[in-house]
Amino acid sequence: MIVEFGWFLDRAPWAYASPGLNRVRVGRKNLIGLLQTRLGLTRPEVPNAERVSQYLRRLEHLDAPEAWFHRSLAADPWSTAQELLAARDDAVANGWDGALDGEASPLLQTLAAAEGLGRQTAGGERAGNGPLAPSLADDVVELLAELEGSPLPLGIDELVLQHPEDTFPAVWRRIIGALRRRGVRISEAPKPAGAPELTVLAAETEWEAAEHAARWLAAGTGTSTAVVCSDPTAVLDQYLALHGQPRLGVGARSAWRAQDQLIPLFFELVWEPVNVHLLAEFLTLEDSPVRRRAARHLLRALSREPGTRGPVWDAAIRAIGEDETLGPELAATLDRLFSTGLLPDVEHRLPSGAQLVDAAAWFASALTARAAVVPRLQTTAAQLRRVLALVAPLRHVGRKDLRRIIASVVTPGAEPLGRAEAAPWLRLNHLVELGEDVEDALWWGFQSAAAPTVRRWDPHDAASLARVGVELPTPQDLTALAVRETLAAAARCRRLVLVHLAQRNGERVVPNPLLEALVERYGPPAAPDQGLGDRIRRATRAPADLTDGQGAWSLAGRTATLARATAHRPAAPDPVQEVGANAALAPETMSYSQLDVLLGCSMRWALERKGALRVPDVADIPEGSRMIGSFAHRVIEVLHGRIRAAHRAVPEDEEIAEVIGELLPQLASELLLPGQKARRLTVVDAVTVAAREFFRGLEKGGVALQEVEKPISKDLQLVTPEGVLTVPVRGSADAVGIDEQGRTVVVDLKWYNSAKHLRQKIKEGTALQLALYQWALHEGEAPPDDPTAYFLLKQHAFASAHGHFGAAIPRDEDPAQLWGRAVRSAEFTVEQVLAGRVTATKPVEDAFAAAQAEAAAAEGGEPTTVKDAETAVGRLYVEPGCRFCHFGALCGLRGDYS
């Protein structure tokens, strides 16, 4: 057998142009595997995470308050063991046996002590809680010994070195020498003598580069062409498919594949307090072990109350238990997993590994069952078993330790969007893998082809290891070798195209230093007054320069003829949609929020109420101001119930603090998460002051609060061309009371960063919500001018046109007039909707404003607005709530139509 051996050839194809039997091309790992097979030294591969766990036990055995690594081990045990094991393996891979000669650094002393624990004691038992499983590093040392003493034949006739023997690290030179002594003929591959025509395709983005790279590949015959893929090819594959070419199928390594998220997400959810957003992600994963029907109940509960404590969560659990297809056993399990059985993440109360394994028992069972019918989950189930095996023996496990262990086991995987297809090209991962002559080569992802990484040792440590015969390769040596081999591989091409990007995903891409070396060796000849930068520019082709005025395209010896495409400008959707008259479009019921949407934008109302379009529950979990506002509402509601039972008007600060503490896990659990302390204290302080000032303000204004979240119900009569339409109005008023004159007082609670627009509504007399509540709470067609107010929770102040709550805001219109205009607007809008005409208000407003501005510029005068036009005909203008609408792409507000 003839073996071609090079430092970078582990992923290289065995043959391309001249395939044959008994000839292989290997790198370090594959040569070790070949020799182990011939010498009978093969063994099961042990995952690195298990070796880290074993090494951690050794470090714990060596640990003492004065130990060099003591503080690091206490702060982050897993990472400490991982780092020291990597140092140990690097030293062993270069021939170290654990011995030291003379003075050594604390690092080497620690490694030597840990290595000593692995040796047999006089009694035949290990001194350090078990052995350390061997790795590739240990195989190097074992091979050296076996090559010198084993009588087994190797079956290797010749070892052809891809690069000179003296460029290999010292320990590998010893292995090559041992093979020579075993009768293996050692030779060096001839150095390529060619010089490629070098072209740099400099594109701005990956999409632009892919278009021209795919065209270049399609323009050739496909024979004697190499494609180097140092980057994922998802974009390039799309363009190759357009040209009828096979896909390369190189996927991006990512930790965000759905099946790879199951284990990390689950173990983030076992700790208290629960992260509701991660819980929602877990429930909606394609392969989630939580059944879809159960997940829908829980997601609906989270969209109403972002916490796993409280009546809404309990109602969801009961619904799961009462569902015949789910049952009470699953309901109890889910409640325990995500609510009642959460584990503490506090230093003095950390759970043991056994407790963590017990908490994951249902997850392990469910995942194993799904893996039996979903093959792609079999790897995930095996990873979970490995995580639990590593965790089980630990006395205490914290969130950080668990994350480290999971990251060691669940490593990023690559899964291409389209699988690789049979192609005439030779596909490589790096140019150094090219071992045969080809006509053309395209290097996709040239800038991602990084130099090999190697551990940087302190000079003192390197000197200490050198005293015991361990010669460590330096980063400079290996980088020089990588550059040398890249230049040699380039000489095997007649034409070499390097794809160079300016940006990827909106970020600038760092140039590859190999570019300078390639241009220096193979670039255009240097003129007397030109430097390397000028030579790079001369070798560079921009996409704009590849096509002439007649459509002739050329790049690196390949040509194509292009036809001019017909220009197509995307058109924005029509903001007024005619859907046909339909009595079914009439509103069945109405609340204030629905009325506000109907008057502001009938298209949004129709999509939500009649089209039943809505965002999924996972995207509708309250957060930010919406979450805090709901939380503050509920605090005031609960406080009112308690002080009313005690016949008091204002709660004590202790009562407010108690209610806030009870409701935080139920309505604002994200504020309890690690890293949220400052924000939590700010919100708690703001809600405390808001609650205190709300009740004090009512008492000071002579208002007795009667009910919070008071249900309202009244029929609204709308006159349409088809007759009178009766629409029931339903909802609830935030706070309803009575003043000293016996009048009904309505207060609506609002949490906004700025309250300017609310005060402006009161001033203009357009506070429709307050008018609707007064109308619904009284008889008659028009609301009375009874006291109403907004209470601004964040600003701790009332805004009102009445003097009960401090300085009254003068208003332009009373509630009866406002309500009359609102009813006329509702009648007009409903008439339009029943006729089948739904309107996206904002695009219409924008077009109207542009036309008015143009007319005013031509004729003089002030342009008229839609608000002016509506007011002139006696209707109420309601601003469309585009900030809270999810249908902007349907009406044309989102998207580039330039």
Side-chain angles (χ1 to χ4, degrees):
M1 172 181 280
I2 298 175
V3 178
E4 297 180 32
F5 173 51
W7 193 251
F8 306 105
L9 298 185
D10 268 323
R11 297 190 296 173
W14 281 11
Y16 175 59
S18 305
L21 296 175
N22 295 323
R23 188 179 186 98
V24 296
R25 184 173 294 145
V26 297
R28 294 161 287 164
K29 184 176 181 180
N30 291 336
L31 180 59
I32 288 175
L34 176 63
L35 293 175
Q36 284 179 319
T37 301
R38 297 300 171 88
L39 296 173
L41 301 176
T42 56
R43 54 171 176 77
E45 187 173 350
V46 180
N48 188 62
E50 188 172 328
R51 298 184 68 246
V52 174
S53 178
Q54 295 169 352
Y55 208 72
L56 176 58
R57 289 197 288 273
R58 289 193 179 185
L59 294 178
E60 289 173 341
H61 185 85
L62 294 172
D63 190 27
E66 65 278 3
W68 168 71
F69 57 87
H70 174 74
R71 291 176 60 190
S72 178
L73 190 69
D76 193 343
W78 190 268
S79 294
T80 301
Q82 199 168 34
E83 175 65 19
L84 291 179
L85 177 61
R88 177 262 178 200
D89 284 348
D90 192 56
V92 170
N94 286 283
W96 187 53
D97 61 1
L100 292 175
D101 182 16
E103 183 181 354
S105 69
L107 168 62
L108 290 179
Q109 291 177 17
T110 299
L111 299 182
E115 206 66 16
L117 291 177
R119 301 191 181 96
Q120 292 285 348
T121 62
E125 296 180 354
R126 302 278 181 178
N129 295 328
L132 177 66
S135 68
L136 186 66
D138 302 274
D139 294 339
V140 174
V141 178
E142 185 182 35
L143 270 178
L144 274 172
E146 288 295 325
L147 285 173
E148 297 293 349
S150 175
L152 295 175
L154 297 177
I156 299 175
D157 300 310
E158 183 179 6
L159 184 71
V160 181
L161 303 180
Q162 188 80 1
H163 41 92
E165 185 174 348
D166 60 3
T167 60
F168 286 91
V171 69
W172 283 92
R173 295 199 297 271
R174 291 166 58 191
I175 291 176
I176 294 169
L179 290 173
R180 183 182 286 112
R181 289 190 293 274
R182 291 287 298 262
V184 177
R185 185 168 64 256
I186 307 297
S187 64
E188 293 182 6
K191 184 178 180 181
E197 176 189 324
L198 188 66
T199 303
V200 181
L201 175 59
E204 181 66 23
T205 66
E206 186 177 15
W207 294 88
E208 186 179 42
E211 177 185 356
H212 294 279
R215 184 176 294 128
W216 185 83
L217 288 171
T221 61
T223 58
S224 193
T225 299
V227 182
V228 183
C229 302
S230 299
D231 256 351
T233 61
V235 177
L236 178 58
D237 284 343
Q238 294 188 44
Y239 281 97
L240 286 172
L242 290 175
H243 286 280
Q245 300 297 308
R247 292 184 177 90
L248 293 162
V250 179
R253 300 190 68 83
S254 172
W256 303 108
R257 297 189 306 163
Q259 61 265 37
D260 291 343
Q261 284 297 295
L262 281 170
I263 295 173
L265 276 177
F266 175 80
F267 282 109
E268 285 294 325
L269 299 173
V270 300
W271 306 97
E272 60 182 17
V274 69
N275 187 322
V276 294
H277 298 287
L278 294 184
L279 176 55
E281 287 186 33
F282 181 76
L283 294 173
T284 52
L285 283 176
E286 180 184 359
D287 297 311
S288 174
V290 181
R291 295 175 62 180
R292 293 289 176 86
R293 289 175 65 87
R296 280 197 292 269
H297 285 294
L298 299 181
L299 287 168
R300 199 169 296 119
L302 294 177
S303 68
R304 292 178 57 193
E305 291 185 355
T308 60
R309 305 282 173 88
V312 175
W313 175 267
D314 293 340
I317 294 296
R318 283 196 302 274
I320 294 172
E322 294 167 1
D323 191 318
E324 293 180 356
T325 64
L326 301 174
E329 184 178 348
L330 177 62
T333 298
L334 295 176
D335 192 34
R336 184 183 70 255
L337 275 175
F338 305 129
S339 179
T340 60
L342 297 175
L343 301 175
D345 187 25
V346 183
E347 188 64 33
H348 62 281
R349 295 175 54 210
L350 290 178
S352 66
Q355 288 176 292
L356 204 56
V357 171
D358 183 62
W362 173 84
F363 177 53
S365 174
L367 186 59
T368 301
R370 280 190 60 80
V373 295
V374 183
R376 68 173 175 273
L377 292 180
Q378 292 174 2
T379 299
T380 307
Q383 290 172 336
L384 177 60
R385 289 192 293 271
R386 195 172 301 139
V387 168
L388 296 178
L390 294 171
V391 166
L394 301 179
R395 288 175 297 175
H396 301 290
V397 185
R399 189 193 300 254
K400 181 170 62 177
D401 302 326
L402 186 57
R403 286 173 178 167
R404 298 280 196 266
I405 293 171
I406 292 171
S408 298
V409 174
V410 185
T411 54
E415 185 174 347
L417 297 178
R419 296 194 176 279
E421 298 171 335
W425 315 308
L426 172 64
R427 191 175 73 77
L428 307 170
N429 300 285
H430 194 287
L431 191 62
V432 293
E433 298 171 6
L434 182 60
E436 301 167 75
D437 292 344
V438 295
E439 287 290 319
D440 302 304
L442 173 79
W443 197 340
W444 177 259
F446 170 69
Q447 287 150 286
S448 299
T453 57
V454 63
R455 184 181 182 86
R456 291 185 177 273
W457 287 87
D458 183 86
H460 181 268
D461 291 335
S464 297
L465 291 172
R467 287 197 295 270
V468 293
V470 178
E471 185 178 337
L472 299 172
T474 66
Q476 294 85 349
D477 292 339
L478 292 184
T479 300
L481 178 60
V483 173
R484 179 191 184 283
E485 288 304 291
T486 302
L487 294 175
R492 296 187 174 96
C493 316
R494 283 190 59 193
R495 286 176 289 270
L496 175 60
V497 179
L498 308 177
V499 180
H500 193 280
L501 304 182
Q503 60 170 305
R504 181 187 291 114
N505 299 329
E507 296 183 359
R508 287 290 161 184
V509 182
V510 178
N512 190 337
L514 275 174
L515 177 61
E516 295 181 356
L518 286 165
V519 173
E520 175 68 31
R521 177 74 63 87
Y522 303 119
D529 57 342
Q530 287 186 333
L532 184 59
D534 298 305
R535 296 179 65 193
I536 292 175
R537 281 189 288 274
R538 287 169 56 199
T540 299
R541 299 287 304 279
D545 302 330
L546 302 181
T547 310
D548 64 17
Q550 285 71 46
W553 177 93
S554 65
L555 173 66
R558 298 187 180 186
T559 61
T561 301
L562 308 184
R564 185 176 297 277
T566 303
H568 175 72
R569 184 182 297 276
D574 191 341
V576 180
Q577 295 288 330
E578 299 285 350
V579 298
N582 191 340
L585 293 175
E588 292 100 6
T589 61
M590 193 77 72
S591 65
Y592 162 71
S593 59
Q594 294 171 22
L595 178 61
D596 187 66
V597 171
L598 177 65
L599 300 185
C601 180
S602 62
M603 180 177 286
R604 177 186 170 190
W605 179 87
L607 291 172
E608 288 180 349
R609 308 307 304 176
K610 299 302 177 179
L613 296 183
R614 63 184 183 90
V615 297
D617 291 324
V618 67
D620 200 35
I621 296 176
E623 58 183 348
S625 295
R626 181 183 165 202
M627 175 193 71
I628 298 170
S630 299
F631 172 57
H633 273 67
R634 185 65 62 83
V635 168
I636 288 177
E637 181 182 359
V638 173
L639 284 170
H640 169 66
R642 295 187 181 183
I643 62 175
R644 185 179 183 183
H647 305 290
R648 291 185 289 118
V650 180
E652 301 293 336
D653 284 356
E654 294 76 12
E655 291 177 290
I656 299 175
E658 181 182 355
V659 170
I660 287 175
E662 293 173 2
L663 295 180
L664 263 176
Q666 173 184 337
L667 292 159
S669 62
E670 73 174 55
L671 297 178
L672 298 171
L673 294 173
Q676 292 289 319
K677 182 178 179 180
R679 183 177 173 224
R680 179 175 69 251
L681 293 177
T682 301
V683 171
V684 167
D685 180 67
V687 173
T688 299
V689 177
R692 182 195 309 130
E693 294 303 315
F694 173 73
F695 287 105
R696 285 181 179 175
L698 292 180
E699 182 184 45
K700 184 178 179 181
V703 177
L705 183 60
Q706 296 175 309
E707 199 166 348
V708 176
E709 295 297 327
K710 178 179 176 63
I712 60 172
S713 179
K714 188 176 179 179
D715 289 343
L716 176 63
Q717 306 292 329
L718 298 177
V719 179
T720 68
E722 287 74 23
V724 177
L725 178 66
T726 300
V727 182
V729 176
R730 305 280 187 267
S732 60
D734 286 352
V736 178
I738 188 170
D739 67 1
E740 295 171 345
Q741 287 78 41
R743 295 178 297 176
T744 299
V745 179
V746 176
V747 180
D748 194 68
L749 308 176
K750 299 292 186 185
W751 180 284
Y752 287 115
N753 291 327
S754 172
K756 180 180 179 180
H757 69 289
L758 293 175
R759 292 191 173 96
Q760 188 67 22
K761 280 187 176 184
I762 294 174
K763 180 179 182 299
E764 294 175 353
T766 57
L768 178 59
Q769 185 173 13
L770 300 178
L772 181 144
Y773 290 156
Q774 286 289 13
W775 168 82
L777 292 169
H778 291 84
E779 300 295 331
E781 295 300 319
D785 190 13
D786 285 359
T788 56
Y790 289 120
F791 180 69
L792 313 174
L793 291 160
K794 190 169 185 179
Q795 291 77 22
H796 318 141
F798 288 90
S800 174
H802 298 83
H804 294 62
F805 310 102
I809 300 175
R811 66 186 177 198
D812 300 337
E813 191 172 66
D814 63 36
Q817 294 172 304
L818 167 62
W819 184 248
R821 292 200 295 127
V823 170
R824 286 190 289 275
S825 289
E827 290 173 340
F828 172 78
T829 306
V830 169
E831 177 185 344
Q832 294 285 303
V833 169
L834 290 175
R837 185 179 298 108
V838 291
T839 303
T841 305
K842 190 65 171 66
V844 171
E845 280 188 1
D846 292 343
F848 183 83
Q852 286 293 312
E854 184 177 344
E859 303 172 7
E862 291 294 325
T864 303
T865 65
V866 171
K867 182 178 180 180
D868 297 333
E870 288 291 291
T871 303
V873 295
R875 293 196 293 263
L876 176 67
Y877 168 80
V878 174
E879 185 178 353
C882 298
R883 286 193 305 141
F884 309 103
C885 178
H886 302 283
F887 309 125
L890 299 181
C891 72
L893 281 183
R894 296 178 190 168
D896 185 3
Y897 300 101
S898 59

